Amino acid sequence: MSYFPFFREIEGEKCLVIGGGKVAARKISRLKEFGVKIKVVAPSIVSDIEAMAQACDNISVERRIITPQDIENADFVIAAAGEEADKEAARLCKERSIPVNVVDNQELCDFIFPSIIRKGDMVAGFVTGGKSPHVAAKIRRDCEMNISDNIEDILDYLARIRKLAKDRISDERKRAAYIREVSEFCMKADRVCSNKEENAFLQKYLDNRSETVLPGAALVGAGCGSYELITIKGLNEIRRAEVIVYDDLIDEHLLEFAPESCELIYAGKRSGRHSKAQEEINELLVEKALEGRYIVRLKGGDPYVFGRGGEEALALKAHGIPVHEVPGVTSGIGLCGMAGIPVTHRGASRGFHVITGHTADNLPPEIEEIRWKSYAKLDETFVFLMGLKSIDMITEKLMRYGKLSDTPVAVIHGENTDGTYVKLVGTLSDIAEKVKEVDFPSPAIIVVGEVASLELTD
């Protein structure tokens, strides 16, 4: 069973705790900081509960047997008195539509206690549907380590900033952008803004010019293959996105990190079956950004390595839209590494070149000849992206202009989101035929050079 985490104001509500043992004491210790009026009813009471009752005015203790009248006066009940007593308490609560938590009996519970992080007004709860409280506690401890000790001061400050924004910035989008920018600054700096910083942020959004303040856009590299290869910065961009425009070659698990309100738009770029032309994508990015929403352009690999990210950045900048790039792991390096091939290796390759396997340059033949001759002369690694359909041409030209026919070649397919890959090894003279024989899957990269014969992955 999955529980939805409703957060409810319970200050001043009346909680009845049935039972006076150690388990009841733990429940009380977690509730008492939330301003609840707690009444404990049990024939015997442990010293921990006695001590809390003496220290807190909102906790009272009565040594006796529970009565139906006690339950009728409660807003919610915690039953921790033993199996039979708890079952009877649950029955009475359900008859009266009073929420009850029954210790160690999930089936009788209307609500369960999460493992809680609380720092001031920041509260987070973790549950596992009652399956393993120890796991919930472990997750809570891990998360708590990543929450700043200054979070309470930051939240108090940001509450003031929200009021300031409401009073001073009339435009709703400008106001939202101002609050977002100040919030992100505070979390990154782990402190509140100085007066000078606060005023600088405010003046930026108080500008009385007619144009809209645009949150901007990020070109984010999703890496090659599994979603685990994205950078932390890239993941944070997804988490703050208001619109995500994404391609084929990403792990769609990444979209699960987007806010629920985020608009997801599939652009579907892949050789041979484009969903949208590049010009359409450029126009779409500009259109969405001019609406005043923060755009994430999510692309496989790295946006600036044959991802046409440069064209998208220029289109955005031409309309005055702030844009930045978040690098990703390009398949030209990452996929080679996963397949056990280092693109540089002492004694085998002192450098590497990443080359598109198909070109829109339409260069004159004499220029093409110069290019391929230069490739053939270098004893370095060549990685051809998007070149599977052109493998006959690539291998033929390299051999024609001087590369030895027995130069090692590897073809690697690694689109799989589970981190697996398919590799086929041969030489310049036979790799094209091998690819055809096995109907090698696309997309794939072609690695040419001595390193292609290495296998450094178990």
Side-chain angles (χ1 to χ4, degrees):
M1 181 186 297
S2 296
Y3 287 84
F4 189 85
F6 281 106
F7 285 85
R8 171 181 163 184
E9 173 63 67
I10 58 173
E11 184 173 359
E13 291 199 357
K14 293 174 287 185
C15 171
L16 172 65
V17 178
I18 303 171
K22 292 287 186 181
V23 175
R26 288 199 299 271
K27 303 284 188 182
I28 294 166
S29 69
R30 292 159 69 182
L31 280 172
K32 65 185 177 67
E33 302 300 329
F34 290 85
V36 184
K37 296 177 181 178
I38 301 170
K39 182 169 81 169
V40 185
V41 178
S44 62
I45 307 290
V46 297
S47 59
D48 289 347
I49 296 177
E50 292 277 12
M52 285 188 281
Q54 290 177 6
C56 302
D57 292 337
N58 59 334
I59 301 175
S60 63
V61 171
E62 298 183 19
R63 289 183 177 80
R64 58 177 176 78
I65 300 295
I66 193 75
T67 67
Q69 186 64 36
D70 294 314
I71 291 174
E72 289 174 1
N73 292 330
D75 292 309
F76 62 97
V77 173
I78 296 168
E83 185 175 355
E84 293 305 318
D86 290 348
K87 285 182 178 179
E88 177 62 15
R91 184 186 66 79
L92 292 171
C93 287
K94 292 181 188 301
E95 286 178 355
R96 294 159 174 78
S97 299
I98 295 173
V100 61
N101 172 266
V102 180
V103 172
D104 291 333
N105 194 328
Q106 185 183 350
E107 292 182 359
L108 295 180
C109 289
D110 296 312
F111 66 94
I112 61 176
F113 270 68
S115 187
I116 292 175
I117 300 172
R118 185 183 184 194
K119 294 191 177 183
D121 289 333
M122 196 292 297
V123 180
F126 303 86
V127 298
T128 57
K131 294 177 180 177
S132 177
H134 296 291
V135 169
K138 173 66 167 59
I139 295 171
R140 187 258 307 160
R141 289 193 297 271
D142 290 346
C143 291
E144 193 166 19
M145 291 173 60
N146 293 312
I147 298 175
S148 168
D149 290 336
N150 299 323
I151 190 68
E152 188 171 356
D153 291 337
I154 291 172
L155 291 176
D156 288 343
Y157 171 75
L158 292 175
R160 184 174 70 78
I161 285 296
R162 289 177 68 86
K163 184 177 186 306
L164 176 67
K166 188 173 182 180
D167 293 342
R168 300 288 301 278
I169 304 174
S170 58
D171 184 276
E172 185 176 339
R173 290 197 180 278
K174 286 186 178 184
R175 186 164 64 243
Y178 166 70
I179 292 170
R180 178 171 55 241
E181 188 169 358
V182 174
S183 300
E184 289 177 357
F185 174 86
C186 291
M187 293 303 293
K188 187 173 182 179
D190 194 22
R191 61 175 175 83
V192 303
C193 294
S194 66
N195 289 336
K196 182 178 179 181
E197 290 164 340
E198 179 182 316
N199 188 59
F201 281 126
L202 187 60
Q203 290 305 315
K204 174 180 174 181
Y205 290 92
L206 284 177
D207 191 336
N208 290 320
R209 293 175 298 174
S210 60
E211 62 263 28
T212 304
V213 174
L214 301 173
L219 309 178
V220 177
C224 51
S226 171
Y227 75 99
E228 296 172 312
L229 290 175
I230 197 169
T231 63
I232 293 173
K233 183 172 177 59
L235 198 59
N236 287 337
E237 293 287 356
I238 291 172
R239 286 173 170 146
R240 66 176 287 212
E242 294 174 288
V243 178
I244 295 177
V245 180
Y246 65 98
D247 281 351
D248 254 331
L249 299 180
I250 68 160
D251 184 341
E252 292 194 10
H253 281 102
L254 289 171
L255 302 178
E256 296 172 9
F257 293 92
E260 188 174 344
S261 60
C262 180
E263 181 181 2
L264 304 176
I265 302 173
Y266 171 65
K269 294 277 288 179
R270 182 181 288 197
S271 177
R273 49 187 179 94
H274 293 182
S275 173
K276 293 183 183 296
Q278 186 60 51
E279 293 72 19
E280 289 182 83
I281 295 172
N282 295 349
E283 293 171 4
L284 175 64
L285 295 174
V286 169
E287 175 190 337
K288 293 298 179 180
L290 289 177
E291 291 175 2
R293 296 195 281 172
Y294 188 68
I295 313 300
V296 165
R297 175 69 171 109
L298 189 60
K299 306 172 76 72
D302 184 282
Y304 286 169
V305 180
F306 298 117
R308 304 188 75 172
E311 297 171 52
E312 294 169 355
L314 288 172
L316 290 160
K317 287 179 69 68
H319 289 80
I321 299 163
V323 60
H324 63 279
E325 194 250 12
V326 179
V329 180
T330 175
S331 61
I333 300 174
L335 194 51
C336 292
M338 285 190 281
I341 299 175
V343 291
T344 63
H345 188 67
R346 189 170 184 176
S349 176
R350 295 173 59 86
F352 67 95
H353 307 259
V354 180
I355 305 165
T356 177
H358 58 79
T359 176
D361 293 341
N362 297 317
L363 296 174
E366 59 272 20
I367 302 298
E368 278 289 292
E369 182 175 340
I370 292 171
R371 173 182 283 182
W372 287 97
K373 280 183 177 178
S374 69
Y375 295 162
K377 288 178 181 178
L378 292 171
D379 291 327
E380 297 180 347
T381 306
F382 292 86
V383 182
F384 293 88
L385 307 186
M386 305 168 290
L388 198 60
K389 289 184 178 180
S390 306
I391 193 167
D392 286 292
M393 179 272 291
I394 292 168
T395 54
E396 188 274 327
K397 285 191 174 182
L398 287 172
M399 289 189 289
R400 183 199 311 173
Y401 292 112
K403 275 284 184 192
L404 296 177
S405 61
D406 62 354
T407 300
V409 181
V411 183
I412 311 167
H413 167 79
E415 183 189 6
N416 306 303
T417 57
D418 60 1
T420 60
Y421 61 89
V422 181
K423 182 168 73 170
L424 183 65
V425 178
T427 65
L428 281 176
S429 64
D430 65 14
I431 192 66
E433 191 58 37
K434 286 184 175 182
V435 164
K436 294 173 187 174
E437 287 175 0
V438 300
D439 193 20
F440 199 83
S442 179
I445 65 171
I446 303 167
V447 187
V448 179
E450 292 303 317
V451 296
S453 64
L454 297 176
E455 175 56 84
L456 304 184
T457 300
D458 293 331

